[in-house]
Amino acid sequence: MTYFDAASSLPLHPVAREALLAAFADGWADPARPHREGRRARMLLDAARETAAEAVGCRPDELTFTTSGTRALHTGIAGALAGRARVGRRLLVSAVEHSAVLHAAEAHQDAGGTVTEIGVDGGGRVEPGAVGAALGAGGEPAALVCVQSANHEVGTVQPVAEIADECRAAGVPLLVDAAQSLGWGAVPGDWSLLAGSAHKWGGPGGVGLLAVRKGTRFAPRPPVDERESGRAPGFENIPAIVAAAASLRAVRAAAAEEGARLRGLVDRIRARVPELVPDVAVVGDPVRRLPHVVTFSCLYVDGEALLHGLDRAGFAVSSGSSCTSSTLTPSHVLRAMGVLSEGNVRVSLPPGTGAEEVERFLTVLPGVVAEVRGRLGVSSGSTAPEVPAVVPTAEEVTVDSLGKLCPVPVIELARAIGRVPVGGVVTVLADDEAARLDIPAWCAMRGQEYLGEPRNHAYRVRRLA
Amino acid sequence: MTYFDAASSLPLHPVAREALLAAFADGWADPARPHREGRRARMLLDAARETAAEAVGCRPDELTFTTSGTRALHTGIAGALAGRARVGRRLLVSAVEHSAVLHAAEAHQDAGGTVTEIGVDGGGRVEPGAVGAALGAGGEPAALVCVQSANHEVGTVQPVAEIADECRAAGVPLLVDAAQSLGWGAVPGDWSLLAGSAHKWGGPGGVGLLAVRKGTRFAPRPPVDERESGRAPGFENIPAIVAAAASLRAVRAAAAEEGARLRGLVDRIRARVPELVPDVAVVGDPVRRLPHVVTFSCLYVDGEALLHGLDRAGFAVSSGSSCTSSTLTPSHVLRAMGVLSEGNVRVSLPPGTGAEEVERFLTVLPGVVAEVRGRLGVSSGSTAPEVPAVVPTAEEVTVDSLGKLCPVPVIELARAIGRVPVGGVVTVLADDEAARLDIPAWCAMRGQEYLGEPRNHAYRVRRLA
């Protein structure tokens, strides 16, 4: 099995494993106890905090260990919002944040707060100036801005340092979700809060980081206890914390070299996939991106079938297609970017990935895509389904794709477009949520004109070519 | 070092260690992913849930894994209260619950809820009928009752099955904090919610259990996600969960035999300590108790100095004395029981403790106590300081112990009592919080009459003997 889903989780780094085993011997006691075993555990905890703080770029007393990256985000957002509740209750989040941030934003809204979403460009990037503009736009005073350091689905790196400057200028704290990037380097800029997750860099599960820089107003939400400066209640998991800190230092030491190597492999995938597979869109910022992530979407492909096909062929990848999630809606990241969501594949290479594994993936992928397309009745070659050998029959055609799931509505649109002459219009009736994203994306890819959705679930497309 | 602080935390059980290492190989991936690595992780998680549910005595789909026992309690209490918010907002907790429960109760109160505390007897036991009486007493309708299965400081086992019946009769759910007892056996009775903590039974840190029986109204507090039935957001720590479940099964298999053995050792300590050390009170229910916990308090002893003395002598124990905590107040458990808090020592034996270790402790303890007493100017022999060779000088004497910390006010009271004749009164001025507990406790132990605290920080004692 070749594991290309590093952005979900990594196996335990050998350094983490070694540190964990050592810390099981020395760090299992309660660090709050004054006896020898407790003091030994406390010393390990303090040392791990120093190591992690150095990697994060903060002071040890600004750093607390939480039980997950999700918990760090929930605690950080709630604490920062509560700390500034007198100033204002508006939370600004980018549209492509991790679901943990969006869940915290929903909770804030449910509790009477306001949430402003900051859009991204087609590459998934928050445009510099967008946060400053949103902060200056008036309305309820802002309490907090949340922007990720890099996107978890498409790998796009955000201009965090610039955004931090915009936040400082407005006097609003910035919380950075650094879960995807912390193993590759410290987050630049003058951020106020930062969250991370150990299992994303090869540390054990069960450890998150929350940094709250001095001078940041912060009021932890009750119930709290005396652990971790009142910011993470419950018994500290010291062996896992020690392993997390040790492995962070280890992956950082190798990050420059390994990052450059993986970047080369990802460049190869970015270049070759569109050559090897017809009708593919590589998504995400092509330059300002994580070294190890590449995401692409395949027209006329069911993402779930593609995932299973790749799995059978020995590759573990991830997908933002609607059919692969429990919600039946496409990934909010792809939606915010306005790009094709069908047949979506995220390849995220773990450290140590070999060039031969990437080549094998490139060898296998075309066949798997062709097989999935074939099952949907789409020719697997370069001949897209939208070039049928029929004479146009009407100026306007309606296709009923109601009740059909992605990618079928797009396939039926592609088949119908040849039934109208150039200048003619196809209306697709489709109630699958993905259609709202994928029909415009198809138009952009195929050079047709998307006319909009005049009625709910009715999409109009003018044939231009 | 002999570790007698098992009730705080246990070193990793060999079975947990083995399971953890195996699960690091197979259970590091995201169980929500449909690829092979994800499915393998999911299978391990499902199997661990079945194992743990069997040990808890609930269905697997009633059990969720949290990141700590504290988190299980916080989540369980908040979710149960929210689930019944329409019925009522009154939370009933025993006065001797773990601080995690009391913190959750404070949070509930801060949010506008009501909290009723249920008292305990001198052994720390919730008296059968007390919960039923509190539920029937009228006032705001009750939303939830929280009672521990066994006390963490004195080992007293609570009549949970009877309390569960009282709760069922009143139609109010009962949440049981089973952190201290779960390794010894399933909690009996018809409880509605139950919380546990893996590192208390030799599992790894970072794993708690929350069982919510079907039919219990439960509304998890946002933010939530799709993990663990929406009850524990964030990436599941599967290796630790697997190790927790495996070690719970292992300790349970040995519980009857090991429990009987440790009970014998504790019996020995309970019997010998009062014989070996003058002026000691063994506290907690002498019969209905955990097999491995014994707690006693020593008159005229500074708990912190005692802890350090034992630590130097090679024994790690715990204490509920005020001077050993960061709050400068004695343990709320000892306070609720109305027993002496000074010189308090909790001995909690880990599985595998040998009889020779207990004998060594009994050999060492008298000398350590004598040394601490000696430093406080108290004779170490059987001659207590309250038998001075002076002729009573006045019917009424006032001792100024303001600004002096425990156990000094009690020592000064003991010295002063000989200065009044039988029938005379000593007034002690003391602003250390422990005096409020320890002066009445001293009176009970020495056969003197406690007259009360007519003014704040002024305690009156009549000499009877």
Side-chain angles (χ1 to χ4, degrees):
Chain A
M1 194 70 187
T2 300
Y3 183 74
F4 280 178
D5 195 16
S8 286
S9 190
L10 279 177
L12 200 63
H13 192 284
V15 165
R17 185 187 165 97
E18 207 176 306
L20 199 56
L21 290 176
F24 279 135
D26 284 346
W28 51 269
D30 184 343
R33 299 288 172 191
H35 50 56
R36 206 171 308 175
E37 301 291 354
R39 291 195 305 271
R40 213 154 56 144
R42 165 66 57 191
M43 280 170 56
L44 284 179
L45 179 59
D46 291 345
R49 197 184 312 281
E50 290 208 14
T51 301
E54 194 188 329
V56 167
C58 67
R59 290 166 27 176
D61 61 352
E62 294 172 333
L63 189 77
T64 53
F65 294 106
T66 66
T67 54
S68 66
T70 294
R71 186 61 75 183
L73 288 167
H74 290 177
T75 300
I77 292 170
L81 286 171
R84 285 179 50 90
R86 286 191 196 173
V87 178
R89 300 204 64 197
R90 187 156 66 108
L91 169 65
L92 291 85
V93 299
S94 98
V96 294
E97 294 300 301
H98 189 272
S99 58
V101 171
L102 301 184
H103 292 147
E106 280 164 33
H108 179 59
Q109 209 154 23
D110 290 350
T114 313
V115 175
T116 301
E117 205 174 85
I118 297 160
V120 294
D121 66 17
R125 193 159 182 263
V126 176
E127 291 184 62
V131 171
L135 288 172
E140 190 176 359
L144 178 67
V145 174
C146 295
V147 176
Q148 63 199 181
S149 57
N151 186 265
H152 48 300
E153 291 193 24
V154 299
T156 299
V157 169
Q158 305 295 351
V160 171
E162 292 89 326
I163 292 170
D165 288 343
E166 294 167 38
C167 290
R168 286 282 161 190
V172 178
L174 170 66
L175 183 150
V176 178
D177 170 10
Q180 287 298 332
S181 76
L182 211 53
W184 297 109
V187 173
D190 197 12
W191 45 264
S192 298
L193 303 101
L194 180 143
S197 173
H199 75 103
K200 301 283 189 189
W201 70 66
V207 182
L209 301 178
L210 173 62
V212 182
R213 279 197 169 139
K214 288 288 158 205
T216 306
R217 281 183 193 280
F218 194 85
R221 307 321 302 137
V224 297
D225 64 20
E226 74 288 357
R227 309 261 176 193
E228 289 297 296
S229 315
R231 289 174 188 169
F235 187 73
E236 294 96 340
N237 188 358
I238 293 181
I241 287 170
V242 167
S247 54
L248 179 55
R249 180 156 56 185
V251 299
R252 277 293 185 79
E257 199 176 329
E258 185 61 12
R261 207 180 60 79
L262 292 184
R263 184 172 285 274
L265 297 179
V266 162
D267 283 342
R268 169 98 180 132
I269 297 173
R270 292 184 69 90
R272 287 298 285 153
V273 164
E275 294 168 5
L276 293 166
V277 181
D279 300 316
V280 161
V282 178
V283 299
D285 197 296
V287 179
R288 293 162 295 203
R289 58 178 174 78
L290 290 169
H292 63 307
V293 176
V294 48
T295 303
F296 52 87
S297 297
C298 309
L299 266 182
Y300 321 131
V301 167
D302 166 357
E304 191 171 6
L306 184 52
L307 230 60
H308 287 305
L310 286 169
D311 186 49
R312 275 193 301 276
F315 291 93
V317 298
S318 178
S319 171
S321 295
S322 58
C323 5
T324 59
S325 75
S326 53
T327 57
L328 285 179
T329 57
S331 138
H332 68 277
V333 172
L334 302 177
R335 215 162 51 215
M337 293 164 66
V339 296
L340 188 73
S341 80
E342 65 188 32
N344 182 260
V345 170
R346 176 187 70 187
V347 171
S348 48
L349 307 179
T353 298
E356 72 290 354
E357 292 175 291
V358 167
E359 293 310 317
R360 201 155 43 81
F361 177 75
L362 292 172
T363 307
V364 157
L365 178 70
V368 175
V369 172
E371 191 205 327
V372 175
R373 283 181 176 160
R375 280 210 299 274
L376 289 163
V378 178
S379 152
S380 60
S382 58
T383 309
E386 66 266 31
V387 187
V390 294
V391 178
T393 52
E395 279 295 323
E396 183 127 12
V397 162
T398 295
V399 176
D400 182 0
S401 297
L402 291 168
K404 294 174 185 168
L405 294 181
C406 108
V408 175
V410 172
I411 293 174
E412 295 190 336
L413 162 61
R415 291 204 173 108
I417 200 80
R419 290 166 55 203
V420 298
V422 169
V425 170
V426 174
T427 298
V428 183
L429 307 178
D431 48 10
D432 181 4
E433 282 298 315
R436 191 160 289 132
L437 185 55
D438 289 346
I439 288 177
W442 178 86
C443 292
M445 287 175 77
R446 311 309 302 172
Q448 312 293 0
E449 187 185 4
Y450 178 61
L451 298 175
E453 187 184 354
R455 286 178 297 121
N456 199 21
H457 299 144
Y459 303 89
R460 284 167 58 79
V461 175
R462 186 190 311 281
R463 179 175 177 185
L464 296 186
Chain B
M1 193 72 188
T2 299
Y3 183 75
F4 279 177
D5 195 15
S8 286
S9 190
L10 279 177
L12 200 64
H13 192 285
V15 165
R17 186 188 164 97
E18 207 175 308
L20 198 58
L21 290 176
F24 279 136
D26 285 347
W28 51 270
D30 184 343
R33 299 287 173 190
H35 49 57
R36 207 173 306 174
E37 302 290 355
R39 290 195 306 270
R40 212 153 57 143
R42 164 67 56 190
M43 280 169 57
L44 284 179
L45 179 59
D46 290 346
R49 197 184 313 280
E50 289 207 14
T51 301
E54 195 188 329
V56 167
C58 67
R59 292 168 22 179
D61 60 352
E62 294 172 331
L63 189 76
T64 54
F65 294 106
T66 66
T67 55
S68 67
T70 294
R71 186 61 75 181
L73 287 167
H74 291 177
T75 300
I77 293 170
L81 286 172
R84 285 179 49 91
R86 286 189 196 176
V87 179
R89 298 205 66 196
R90 187 155 67 108
L91 169 65
L92 290 86
V93 300
S94 97
V96 295
E97 294 300 301
H98 188 272
S99 58
V101 171
L102 301 184
H103 292 148
E106 281 163 33
H108 180 58
Q109 209 154 21
D110 290 350
T114 312
V115 176
T116 301
E117 205 174 84
I118 297 160
V120 294
D121 66 19
R125 192 159 183 265
V126 176
E127 291 183 64
V131 170
L135 288 172
E140 189 176 0
L144 178 68
V145 174
C146 294
V147 176
Q148 62 199 182
S149 56
N151 185 265
H152 49 298
E153 291 192 25
V154 299
T156 299
V157 168
Q158 305 296 349
V160 170
E162 293 89 326
I163 292 170
D165 288 342
E166 294 167 38
C167 290
R168 285 282 160 190
V172 178
L174 170 67
L175 182 149
V176 178
D177 171 9
Q180 286 298 333
S181 75
L182 211 52
W184 297 109
V187 173
D190 197 11
W191 45 265
S192 299
L193 303 101
L194 180 144
S197 173
H199 75 103
K200 303 282 189 190
W201 70 66
V207 181
L209 300 179
L210 174 62
V212 181
R213 279 198 170 136
K214 289 288 160 206
T216 307
R217 282 182 192 278
F218 194 85
R221 309 319 303 135
V224 298
D225 64 20
E226 75 287 358
R227 310 263 175 190
E228 289 297 296
S229 314
R231 289 173 188 169
F235 188 74
E236 294 97 340
N237 188 358
I238 293 178
I241 287 170
V242 167
S247 54
L248 180 54
R249 179 155 58 184
V251 299
R252 276 292 186 78
E257 199 176 329
E258 185 61 13
R261 206 181 62 80
L262 293 184
R263 185 173 284 273
L265 297 179
V266 162
D267 284 342
R268 169 96 180 134
I269 297 173
R270 291 184 70 91
R272 286 298 286 154
V273 164
E275 294 167 4
L276 293 167
V277 181
D279 299 318
V280 160
V282 177
V283 299
D285 197 294
V287 179
R288 292 164 294 201
R289 58 177 173 81
L290 290 168
H292 65 307
V293 176
V294 49
T295 303
F296 51 87
S297 298
C298 308
L299 265 183
Y300 320 131
V301 167
D302 167 356
E304 190 171 6
L306 185 52
L307 230 59
H308 287 305
L310 286 169
D311 186 50
R312 276 193 301 275
F315 290 93
V317 299
S318 178
S319 171
S321 295
S322 58
C323 7
T324 59
S325 74
S326 52
T327 56
L328 285 176
T329 57
S331 138
H332 69 276
V333 172
L334 302 177
R335 215 162 51 216
M337 293 163 66
V339 297
L340 188 72
S341 80
E342 64 188 33
N344 181 260
V345 170
R346 177 188 69 188
V347 172
S348 48
L349 307 178
T353 298
E356 71 290 354
E357 292 174 291
V358 167
E359 291 311 316
R360 200 152 46 78
F361 177 75
L362 292 173
T363 307
V364 158
L365 179 69
V368 175
V369 172
E371 193 205 325
V372 175
R373 283 182 177 160
R375 280 210 300 273
L376 289 163
V378 179
S379 152
S380 61
S382 58
T383 308
E386 65 268 32
V387 187
V390 295
V391 178
T393 53
E395 279 296 322
E396 184 128 14
V397 161
T398 295
V399 176
D400 181 0
S401 296
L402 292 168
K404 295 173 184 167
L405 293 182
C406 108
V408 176
V410 172
I411 292 174
E412 296 190 336
L413 163 61
R415 291 206 173 106
I417 200 80
R419 291 166 54 201
V420 298
V422 168
V425 170
V426 175
T427 299
V428 183
L429 307 178
D431 48 11
D432 181 3
E433 282 297 315
R436 191 160 291 132
L437 184 56
D438 289 346
I439 288 175
W442 178 86
C443 293
M445 286 175 77
R446 312 309 303 174
Q448 312 292 0
E449 186 185 4
Y450 178 61
L451 298 175
E453 186 183 354
R455 285 178 297 121
N456 198 24
H457 301 144
Y459 304 90
R460 284 168 57 80
V461 176
R462 188 190 310 282
R463 181 175 175 183
L464 296 185

